[in-house]
Amino acid sequence: MQQKWSSGWVFLLAAIGSAVGLANIWRFPYMVGANGGGAFVLVYILSMLCIAIPMLISEVLMGRRGGADPVYSMEFLARESGVSPHWRAFGWLSLLATLTILCFYSVIAGWSFAYIPKVLGGLSSNSVEDIRLEYEMLIASPVEMAFWHGIFMFLTISIVSRGIQNGIETAVKVLMPGLFIILLVLVAFSLYSGGFEDALNYIFNPDFSKLNVEVVLMAIGSAFFSASVGIGAMMTYGAYLKPDVSVPGTAAAVAFVDMGVALLAGLAIFPIIFANGMDPDGGPGLVFVTLPIAFANTDYSVLLGTLFFALLAAASLTSAFSLLEPTVLWLNKNHGVKRIWGAWGVGLIVWLVGLGPVFSFNILKDFHPMATISRFEESTIFDLMDFTVTSIFLPLGAFMICIFIGWRMKTANISQELNLEGSPLFTVWYYSVKFLVPLALLAVFLGSF
Ligand code: PHE
């Protein structure tokens, strides 16, 4: 008998846990910084509303109806609507994409775990140069990075191997409230840091001259990654959802909270950065270098630093569960592999493959496997994995979902699952998935080349 979430609320917590992660707290602020502030934020918000919400609804509804891992669910849905069972290819893509993300996601998530002892040990009382050096030393050390990547995978595996109710549910019930409390404490602190107004201006005052095709595509891509859509992670969580929970309501809630957390993370980080006269355009090192330097100028540097990196660690952990779960469920359902073996086996492989991205920062940093193609001349293994997922797997997966829902799945089956018959909301959603979202996806896809 398939396990289920014990309530709609718990599903909401787990799905928000999947959505809220490194993309919101680590990536969003530096993307805003690198892409000119408000204009990027505006496109991001629009993409969340017009693209991520319809996609989330689609994935969760397909997952609940399919009731299993993405491969099995897709095959079932295709049969039920009388179309080719080859649609199961989406399921394969889903397993491949979630695991590929996990391989490099875990590496960056490992940094946040590494920083907790560093800040507790007084990182922020060091000089600016030393704080910078600390980050450079971390990424230069394959052993330290592999260790923290291992700790992160160990925790993820330990939770996922315990199953839905005993593992993921129990963990998100503790981690998610903790995450929100920490975020609010950090925003409250930022309110008094002296840079709040500048930050508000920076985030919400769009300078349209900064808007170009690249910024738009970046923002759409970020919204996708941030809402965890397109690769069957939400579909797998949807498979554990009881029939009486409203899919559209839950999906919208996930997107709004995800967006809210990204904006709040910006409001927690930028004021401190501005108040200390620093540059928001710090790239991937923004939260690991600029932020500890900014914290150093406050009276509570240890507390703030610890809270911040605990926030990042908790957020990435709850996302990682949803990246490991699809394959563990697939192994269990299709091959009878016990959950505990599946989780440990797959987790170990992810750790091993993840050494590629680990070494991209040190011993293999000059190794550019696709250097013959000018676009990838400088790309490391890490960059290539990131590119493959965000620019190919995610838009491709999302495109397949749109075509399936909009053009292949029987509308009767869809409306039965959504319970929105005759409502204008249904029509809006349906036509977005049929036309608007696939077109936006095509743009992202072509644009990234
Ligand atoms: N949404 C997660 C984040 O913001 C990452 C993720 C992507 C998780 C896709 C699952 C699926 O960090």
Side-chain angles (χ1 to χ4, degrees), residues 211-448:
L211 214 55
N212 55 36
V213 179
E214 207 169 316
V215 171
V216 172
L217 296 178
M218 284 286 201
I220 300 181
S222 297
F224 261 94
F225 189 78
S226 171
S228 301
V229 290
I231 46 160
M234 288 294 182
M235 193 168 174
T236 308
Y237 272 11
Y240 302 118
L241 189 61
K242 288 179 181 159
D244 55 342
V245 180
S246 150
V247 173
T250 322
V254 173
F256 276 104
V257 177
D258 186 50
M259 197 158 57
V261 170
L263 295 174
L264 283 176
L267 286 180
I269 293 172
F270 290 124
I272 305 188
I273 290 183
F274 287 132
N276 290 288
M278 300 179 72
D279 187 3
D281 183 6
L286 179 72
V287 305
F288 295 104
V289 180
T290 320
L291 207 59
I293 297 176
F295 284 152
N297 296 337
T298 68
D299 296 336
Y300 311 98
S301 61
V302 174
L303 178 71
L304 288 175
T306 314
L307 284 179
F308 181 80
F309 290 109
L311 171 75
L312 206 52
S316 44
L317 207 49
T318 53
S319 297
F321 302 157
S322 70
L323 291 168
L324 186 57
E325 179 62 26
T327 310
V328 172
L329 178 63
W330 170 74
L331 282 172
N332 181 265
K333 277 252 154 186
N334 293 271
H335 300 284
V337 179
K338 273 201 177 141
R339 180 170 269 280
I340 178 147
W341 293 115
W344 281 97
V346 178
L348 192 67
I349 295 173
V350 168
W351 181 78
L352 283 171
V353 180
L355 293 177
V358 164
F359 298 154
S360 304
F361 290 89
N362 32 70
I363 44 184
L364 293 181
K365 75 170 184 289
D366 296 320
F367 175 53
H368 308 303
M370 309 253 294
T372 42
I373 305 174
S374 65
R375 166 90 172 68
F376 302 116
E377 224 163 25
E378 302 272 290
S379 305
T380 59
I381 301 177
F382 183 99
D383 301 330
L384 290 173
M385 284 174 104
D386 185 6
F387 176 84
T388 313
V389 169
T390 34
S391 303
I392 303 177
F393 290 168
L394 269 165
L396 182 65
F399 191 75
M400 287 174 86
I401 292 179
C402 291
I403 301 300
F404 188 78
I405 292 256
W407 302 87
R408 308 311 280 154
M409 192 169 166
K410 286 209 171 94
T411 11
N413 297 344
I414 300 177
S415 9
Q416 194 183 31
E417 213 45 58
L418 282 188
N419 231 337
L420 271 183
E421 266 142 299
S423 147
L425 276 179
F426 179 82
T427 318
V428 172
W429 166 76
Y430 190 64
Y431 284 97
S432 322
V433 175
K434 207 171 166 121
F435 299 109
L436 176 78
V437 186
L439 285 176
L441 284 165
L442 220 53
V444 176
F445 194 62
L446 297 177
S448 54

Side-chain angles (χ1 to χ4, degrees), residues 103-116:
C103 291
F104 65 83
Y105 196 85
S106 163
V107 173
I108 308 288
W111 295 356
S112 24
F113 281 80
Y115 263 73
I116 297 176

Side-chain angles (χ1 to χ4, degrees), residues 83-125:
V83 297
S84 162
H86 291 319
W87 273 99
R88 77 169 81 79
F90 170 80
W92 295 115
L93 175 70
S94 156
L95 302 189
L96 181 67
T98 40
L99 292 183
T100 312
I101 296 184
L102 192 53
C103 291
F104 65 83
Y105 196 85
S106 163
V107 173
I108 308 288
W111 295 356
S112 24
F113 281 80
Y115 263 73
I116 297 176
K118 287 189 199 297
V119 282
L120 280 173
L123 173 72
S124 284
S125 42

Side-chain angles (χ1 to χ4, degrees), residues 36-54:
F40 174 88
V41 175
L42 190 73
V43 186
Y44 170 83
I45 294 178
L46 283 176
S47 318
M48 271 304 215
L49 298 178
C50 307
I51 301 180
I53 295 185

